[in-house]
Amino acid sequence: MKKTLLWFFLLSILLLALFYLTLDGSFTWPLPKQDYIIFAGWAIITLVYFIITLKCSYYTLEKKYLSQKKLTKEYVYEYSKIIYIDENWSRKNNILLFVTDRGVAVYLILDKKQKLLDEMLKRCKNLKDRESVLIQFPNVKI
């Protein structure tokens, strides 16, 4: 959550500065009242979007599959169709990387204690080694 909040903050400030500098090209100090209104509106919109993103994005571990909810879309990854999990890379980068039986690499953000990774390693029974996955799907980036 802290990383997400930091990235949202930095990106929103960067975009605000970019828009501010490109709108009329003038910069004066102290700022005019309309600039404070624009900044407040931008901050409120960013905060609302951030809250919606946090509330509407989550994972659910079910008996036979992992479900990922992103705003209005839901993605389902069946444990039986996951053929490779890059445990070392996932632990190092705090992002779960796995490959499905169709050769699609999927990246999911892990929780702080990496419980999602541990559960996926327990539940996925059809895991192969890296070399066999690369032979089967040479274009997959793992």
Side-chain angles (χ1 to χ4, degrees):
M1 186 169 170
K2 289 178 185 177
K3 278 185 183 178
T4 306
L5 182 59
L6 178 65
W7 279 108
F8 262 83
F9 176 74
L10 292 175
L11 185 62
S12 66
I13 295 298
L14 178 71
L15 286 173
L16 179 64
L18 181 69
F19 287 147
Y20 181 76
L21 293 174
T22 58
L23 284 178
D24 64 357
S26 64
F27 181 78
T28 60
W29 193 258
L31 297 174
K33 289 181 183 179
Q34 90 180 49
D35 290 347
Y36 288 110
I37 294 170
I38 290 171
F39 181 75
W42 184 265
I44 290 169
I45 290 170
T46 302
L47 183 64
V48 167
Y49 183 72
F50 177 72
I51 291 170
I52 289 172
T53 302
L54 284 180
K55 293 291 183 185
C56 297
S57 299
Y58 55 88
Y59 307 122
T60 306
L61 288 166
E62 298 293 338
K63 195 173 196 175
K64 296 189 181 219
Y65 60 88
L66 167 70
S67 172
Q68 178 189 20
K69 178 80 172 170
K70 281 185 176 180
L71 295 177
T72 60
K73 294 182 181 181
E74 185 170 359
Y75 301 94
V76 175
Y77 306 105
E78 294 181 27
Y79 303 131
S80 61
K81 293 186 178 185
I82 296 173
I83 60 170
Y84 177 71
I85 297 176
D86 195 339
E87 183 178 2
N88 293 333
W89 188 90
S90 296
R91 290 202 189 278
K92 179 182 172 186
N93 295 298
N94 209 26
I95 297 173
L96 175 61
L97 165 60
F98 63 86
V99 179
T100 66
D101 60 353
R102 293 185 175 191
V104 177
V106 178
Y107 298 85
L108 302 176
I109 297 174
L110 286 175
D111 54 304
K112 204 177 221 181
K113 296 180 182 177
Q114 298 181 346
K115 290 181 182 180
L116 178 62
L117 176 60
D118 296 333
E119 284 298 317
M120 291 295 285
L121 289 169
K122 285 182 202 173
R123 295 174 188 222
C124 297
K125 304 295 183 195
N126 300 331
L127 296 179
K128 299 178 182 179
D129 62 348
R130 181 184 180 102
E131 289 77 27
S132 62
V133 171
L134 286 173
I135 291 170
Q136 188 176 0
F137 302 106
N139 293 332
V140 71
K141 294 184 180 181
I142 54 174

